């Protein structure tokens, strides 16, 4: 490992970028050695450092991104990749980095799984959505699996079925309708406020076999706990004080002592996370919960600093997109490609040997091959906010 670190820390990033295939071979050999020694974790930090060495900008996608994300999942060690994941991809340059469409899909699919593992469901949904909505003439199996996880993480984050962006390819839209019906049905039932916890549990049992097969049952089970939390949040809008047993009864867990103990644990975690503001008193038998208003009026300097920071980020992203749009729109290849009616790479790729699956239970398991699932259809239209991404991906055909 000393020689690995010596190379990673001293290599010339620009020179290595011109030999991306050799860089990938080096990284794959490193991961293989670490995996065979039953220590995949030892490859993570050198890989993360190597990627940062290769990148011309923090938002540039390299061919090593999917490999690092997959290795982190196998090792169940995600700390070192988070700084890389937190930098949104804004530079996809196939000529410079030799990335392809599959690299883009796998990186965002694995990245979404890492964020889900970290309980950062907001970012998980965003990453899965990027994979699902990537420009496509045919729907890939990776996009279908990303959609399944996007549905479950959206339920955990927002409590409702996610809407596909309007620029999602029509082939992908048809594919997810055909192959993700049980997920959509579960989400539709889940988001109905009139349903009880028992009915949601029954709906989950109906699709348990499918979700276990897809290795998504771990996420689905978390949706039940999230449903209880949302029911408790709804109670805060109606009541000022409730006993723990009444809360347990209201959310459909019964009124026995075990249910009350379970609910009290949920409430304590919600208070610690700041999702509700309440106090629990044990002066009365069983405990009483008093719901409070949010003490933060968002009128302090911390809030203003957060707003200014987000405005600055939005301004920088807008400037990048405008520059990228102007550069690519003036290229002859763009006009030629546009006249052909396709922005997607013409060269094909097979997913027969793609191992995108990961247990969300959360246990590592041996890689398993993918069946190639493609559905031919016309490409969907994109809106202005996604044009730059589509332009960048279109370059992979040149």
């Amino acid at each position: 490992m000393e020689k690995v670190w010596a190379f990673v820390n001293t290599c010339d990033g620009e020179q290595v970028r011109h030999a991306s295939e050799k860089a990938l071979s080096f990284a794959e050999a490193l991961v293989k050695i670490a995996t065979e020694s039953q220590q995949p974790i030892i490859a993570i930090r050198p890989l993360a450092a190597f990627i940062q060495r290769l990148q011309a900008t923090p938002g540039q996608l390299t061919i090593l991104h999917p490999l690092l994300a997959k290795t982190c999942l196998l090792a169940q060690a995600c700390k070192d990749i988070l700084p890389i994941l937190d930098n949104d991809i804004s530079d996809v340059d196939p000529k410079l980095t030799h990335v392809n469409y599959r690299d883009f899909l796998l990186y965002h699919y694995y990245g979404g799984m890492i964020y889900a593992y970290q309980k950062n469901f907001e970012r998980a949904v965003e990453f899965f959505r990027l994979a699902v909505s990537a420009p496509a003439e045919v729907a890939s199996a990776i996009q279908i699996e990303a959609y399944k996880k996007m549905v479950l993480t959206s339920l955990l984050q927002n409590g409702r079925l996610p809407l596909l962006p309007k620029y999602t390819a029509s082939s992908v839209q048809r594919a997810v309708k055909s192959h993700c019906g049980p997920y959509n049905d579960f989400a539709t039932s889940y988001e109905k406020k009139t349903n009880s916890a028992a009915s949601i549990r029954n709906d989950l049992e109906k699709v348990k076999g499918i979700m276990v097969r897809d290795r998504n049952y771990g996420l689905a089970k978390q949706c039940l706990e999230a449903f209880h939390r949302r029911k408790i949040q709804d109670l805060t809008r109606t009541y000022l004080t409730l006993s723990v047993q009444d809360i347990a009864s209201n959310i459909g867990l019964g009124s026995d002592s075990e249910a009350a103990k379970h609910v009290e644990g949920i409430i304590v975690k919600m208070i610690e996370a700041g999702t509700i503001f309440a106090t629990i008193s044990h002066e009365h038998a069983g405990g009483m919960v008093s719901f409070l208003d949010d003490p933060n009026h968002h009128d302090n300097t911390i809030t203003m600093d957060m707003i200014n920071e987000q405005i600055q980020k939005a301004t920088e992203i807008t400037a990048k997109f405008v520059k990228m749009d102007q550069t690519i729109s003036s290229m002859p290849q763009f006009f030629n490609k546009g006249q052909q009616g396709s922005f997607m790479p013409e060269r094909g790729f097979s997913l027969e040997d793609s191992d995108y699956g990961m247990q969300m239970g959360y246990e590592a398991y041996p890689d398993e091959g993918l069946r190639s699932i493609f559905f031919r259809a016309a490409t969907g239209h994109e809106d202005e906010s996604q044009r730059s991404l589509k332009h960048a991906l279109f370059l992979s055909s040149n």
Side-chain angles (χ1 to χ4, degrees), residues 154-211:
S154 180
L155 292 181
L156 287 166
Q157 174 63 24
N158 305 310
R160 60 180 181 272
L161 181 69
L163 295 176
L164 283 173
K166 63 182 180 180
Y167 47 81
T168 305
S170 57
S171 58
V172 176
Q173 295 184 42
R174 284 195 290 270
V176 298
K177 286 181 181 179
S178 299
H179 293 268
C180 304
Y183 288 83
N184 290 331
D185 293 341
F186 174 69
T188 301
S189 174
Y190 185 94
E191 64 184 353
K192 291 180 180 177
K193 292 184 178 295
T194 55
N195 280 350
S196 65
S199 65
I200 298 299
R201 192 177 297 107
N202 290 336
D203 291 336
L204 180 58
E205 282 298 314
K206 293 177 184 177
V207 297
K208 178 179 178 180
I210 294 173
M211 292 192 177

Side-chain angles (χ1 to χ4, degrees), residues 34 46 59 63 65 101-102 124 131 134-135 148 158 174 176 181 196 211 215 227 232 251 262 267 323 348 360 390:
I63 58 177
H65 275 74
Y101 183 70
R102 178 173 171 271
K148 293 175 182 178
N158 305 310
R174 284 195 290 270
V176 298
S196 65
M211 292 192 177
R215 303 182 184 272
F227 185 81
I232 293 173
I251 66 175
H262 179 60
I267 294 173
K323 183 178 179 180
M360 295 305 292
K390 179 166 282 189

Side-chain angles (χ1 to χ4, degrees), residues 29-281:
L30 173 61
V31 172
K32 182 180 179 181
I33 293 171
T35 304
E36 289 178 349
S37 64
Q38 305 298 316
Q39 299 181 77
I41 193 172
I42 65 175
I44 293 175
R45 287 191 176 180
L47 270 180
F50 197 31
I51 285 176
Q52 291 170 332
R53 200 79 174 176
L54 261 64
Q55 289 177 306
T57 62
Q60 185 177 68
L61 180 67
T62 73
I63 58 177
L64 302 184
H65 275 74
L67 179 62
L68 173 61
K70 175 187 166 185
T71 305
C72 288
L73 285 168
L74 289 173
Q76 295 184 329
C78 305
K79 178 181 177 181
D80 292 300
I81 196 178
L82 290 178
I84 295 174
L85 289 173
D86 289 342
N87 279 310
D88 294 326
I89 297 300
S90 58
D91 184 358
V92 182
D93 190 344
K95 289 185 177 179
L96 180 63
T97 61
H98 300 92
V99 295
N100 57 33
Y101 183 70
R102 178 173 171 271
D103 292 329
F104 180 88
L105 292 183
L106 282 176
Y107 172 66
H108 286 95
Y109 178 72
Y110 288 146
M113 293 174 69
I114 289 172
Y115 277 124
Y117 185 84
Q118 295 289 314
K119 310 290 186 182
N120 188 344
F121 299 117
E122 182 179 6
R123 287 287 287 176
V125 171
E126 185 178 342
F127 266 57
F128 291 137
R129 182 180 286 116
L130 282 169
V132 172
S133 62
E137 290 181 348
V138 292
S140 105
I142 301 172
Q143 290 176 297
I144 294 171
E145 294 303 313
Y147 178 80
K148 293 175 182 178
K149 288 182 170 59
M150 183 177 75
V151 168
L152 296 176
T153 50
S154 180
L155 292 181
L156 287 166
Q157 174 63 24
N158 305 310
R160 60 180 181 272
L161 181 69
L163 295 176
L164 283 173
K166 63 182 180 180
Y167 47 81
T168 305
S170 57
S171 58
V172 176
Q173 295 184 42
R174 284 195 290 270
V176 298
K177 286 181 181 179
S178 299
H179 293 268
C180 304
Y183 288 83
N184 290 331
D185 293 341
F186 174 69
T188 301
S189 174
Y190 185 94
E191 64 184 353
K192 291 180 180 177
K193 292 184 178 295
T194 55
N195 280 350
S196 65
S199 65
I200 298 299
R201 192 177 297 107
N202 290 336
D203 291 336
L204 180 58
E205 282 298 314
K206 293 177 184 177
V207 297
K208 178 179 178 180
I210 294 173
M211 292 192 177
V212 169
R213 179 200 67 191
D214 295 338
R215 303 182 184 272
N216 288 326
Y217 191 59
L219 276 176
K221 287 194 296 184
Q222 292 181 57
C223 289
L224 286 177
E225 287 295 322
F227 185 81
H228 297 153
R229 292 194 296 270
R230 292 190 179 281
K231 285 290 187 181
I232 293 173
Q233 283 181 313
D234 290 340
L235 293 176
T236 66
R237 302 184 183 96
T238 307
Y239 299 97
L240 291 177
T241 304
L242 271 178
S243 69
V244 175
Q245 287 185 334
D246 286 341
I247 293 175
S249 179
N250 269 282
I251 66 175
L253 291 180
S255 56
D256 57 82
S257 59
E258 283 298 319
K261 184 178 180 181
H262 179 60
V263 167
E264 184 172 344
I266 294 175
I267 294 173
V268 169
K269 290 180 181 178
M270 293 179 71
I271 294 173
E272 291 174 347
T275 53
I276 63 170
F277 301 93
T279 59
I280 302 176
S281 171

